[in-house]
Amino acid sequence: MTHIATSLLWTTSRERTNRRFARVFPFAAAALVCCALAPVPVVVTASALDIPSFQPSVNAMRAWTCHGRTQQEMVSKLKQAGIIKHDVVQDAMNKVDRANYVLDRASAHVDAPQSIGYGQTISAPHMHAHVLEDLLPALLSSKKSISILDVGCGSGYLTACLGRLVNTLTTTTTTGTDDERTANVYGIDFLPELVTFSMQNMQKEDGDLLVQSSSGSVSGSHTATVELKVGDGWKGLPEAAPFDAIHVGAAADTFPKNLMSQLAVGGIMICPVGPDGGYQSLYKIKRLHGSFSDKHSSSTTDTNSFTESDYDIQELIGVRYVPLVHLNDE
């Protein structure tokens, strides 16, 4: 009875939030996705992998208010709100202008999601800030090379931010040896049109990040760390694994074991999990044990060897995302 009452109260609260959002940002009301709803600090046990729980919190989150007239003003408000905590994250977001990655440039610096076509969206800026902050510990602890997978690169904004972030980390930190620290950021999307869109957007002011341009030429820039590819988000990119960090930009209806298996030990994945149109939560998944032994294979990771106890799973906040598409269902 208490659980039912709590759920009803949470639903009513969320509906009020949605209606208020629709009044303030009518242009985005139809796409209330890729955004935070409320903080949910819950640790999930291994036995809960297939049934994501949802436990609402009464704590309010300072999001939806970090609007700016410029990229720098928007990012400054994210820092003031406590969503951005580290200068290196602030620097990365300052360097990548969201106006280059949206269809409606006039509202580029509003803290709200936007449609980018094809039934997909670019997340609200506060979600990008959360993801960068949550992935940062894994990137800082990487001893030599840094490897990141961005599943559902969409318009390319977060992929570019990750590229700027790792460039800073590899030039300002050392491994204690004479070896040069390297970085690779892979962005994949199941829609070829969005991969092309990401590449075109990045070439506006962040083209130095691209390993390969749309014309096929290979960049010689020392900052070239980003590769964009067409790919199945559920399968990931096993030929480039293991990854220190994985971000999933769409909600998986169950925990994506193939992607989890592609994490390096100590690696972190940020992934929304939950049914399309239902309760979803953002999860932080850290690999504690095990290994990825199929690094050079182009096949799907074998989930028969998947061991739930190898992972620590923490439920972070309630969210609303577009679904992670099952290509074999189409």
Side-chain angles (χ1 to χ4, degrees):
M1 184 68 181
T2 303
H3 175 73
I4 295 174
T6 302
S7 299
L8 290 174
L9 286 171
W10 170 242
T11 302
T12 302
S13 174
R14 188 172 68 173
E15 289 173 348
R16 285 199 300 269
T17 300
N18 292 357
R19 287 197 298 270
R20 184 163 58 251
F21 173 81
R23 290 196 299 271
V24 178
F25 305 116
F27 64 88
L32 186 59
V33 289
C34 304
C35 56
L37 297 176
V40 189
V42 177
V43 175
V44 181
T45 63
S47 60
L49 268 180
D50 295 324
I51 308 175
S53 62
F54 188 89
Q55 299 186 21
S57 168
V58 296
N59 297 325
M61 184 178 128
R62 294 183 65 187
W64 301 107
T65 62
C66 302
H67 323 301
R69 290 163 293 185
T70 65
Q71 180 74 17
Q72 287 69 30
E73 183 178 348
M74 179 189 74
V75 173
S76 177
K77 289 187 176 181
L78 288 167
K79 182 71 177 290
Q80 293 170 19
I83 299 171
I84 293 178
K85 299 177 177 63
H86 294 87
D87 291 343
V88 68
V89 171
Q90 182 177 12
D91 180 64
M93 291 191 72
N94 272 333
K95 288 179 178 177
V96 184
D97 193 344
R98 193 170 183 257
N100 292 325
Y101 295 85
V102 297
L103 297 178
D104 183 6
R105 291 180 64 91
S107 58
H109 304 118
V110 173
D111 190 14
Q114 273 197 37
S115 170
I116 55 173
Y118 307 100
Q120 305 300 305
T121 62
I122 177 175
S123 298
H126 65 262
M127 288 307 304
H128 288 145
H130 272 294
V131 168
L132 292 170
E133 286 287 345
D134 286 332
L135 293 178
L136 184 59
L139 306 182
L140 290 172
S141 65
S142 180
K143 300 300 182 183
K144 187 177 178 182
S145 62
I146 297 176
S147 187
I148 302 174
L149 177 62
D150 185 18
V151 175
C153 59
S155 69
Y157 178 72
L158 183 62
T159 315
C161 287
L162 289 166
R164 293 295 179 206
L165 178 61
V166 297
N167 276 334
T168 299
L169 294 178
T170 54
T171 56
T172 59
T173 59
T174 61
T175 62
T177 69
D178 294 331
D179 296 332
E180 183 179 356
R181 206 165 182 226
T182 60
N184 296 97
V185 179
Y186 301 93
I188 65 172
D189 204 289
F190 78 102
L191 289 169
E193 295 87 350
L194 287 183
V195 174
T196 300
F197 185 46
S198 292
M199 193 169 292
Q200 291 171 342
N201 291 338
M202 216 169 287
Q203 286 174 332
K204 295 172 185 175
E205 292 184 358
D206 302 300
D208 62 296
L209 292 174
L210 288 168
V211 172
Q212 188 174 28
S213 69
S214 57
S215 64
S217 61
V218 178
S219 172
S221 170
H222 71 282
T223 57
T225 58
V226 174
E227 291 188 53
L228 300 170
K229 301 182 177 186
V230 177
D232 185 338
W234 284 95
K235 294 180 179 179
L237 201 63
E239 62 268 29
F243 300 102
D244 300 293
I246 298 176
H247 164 255
V248 184
D253 49 25
T254 61
F255 282 85
K257 294 181 180 180
N258 277 323
L259 293 178
M260 293 168 69
S261 296
Q262 290 173 33
L263 278 175
V265 174
I268 291 174
M269 179 166 73
I270 302 298
C271 178
V273 180
D276 184 19
Y279 289 136
Q280 300 172 356
S281 291
L282 194 68
Y283 288 86
K284 181 177 182 179
I285 302 167
K286 183 175 182 179
R287 186 161 199 170
L288 305 176
H289 312 287
S291 63
F292 183 84
S293 59
D294 200 18
K295 182 172 182 178
H296 301 292
S297 171
S298 60
S299 63
T300 302
T301 308
D302 181 12
T303 57
N304 291 329
S305 60
F306 181 87
T307 304
E308 296 177 2
S309 59
D310 286 344
Y311 303 88
D312 175 72
I313 303 174
Q314 183 181 5
E315 191 173 9
L316 300 176
I317 52 178
V319 292
R320 181 77 67 82
Y321 273 73
V322 295
L324 185 63
V325 174
H326 288 273
L327 294 183
N328 57 355
D329 290 343
E330 294 184 344

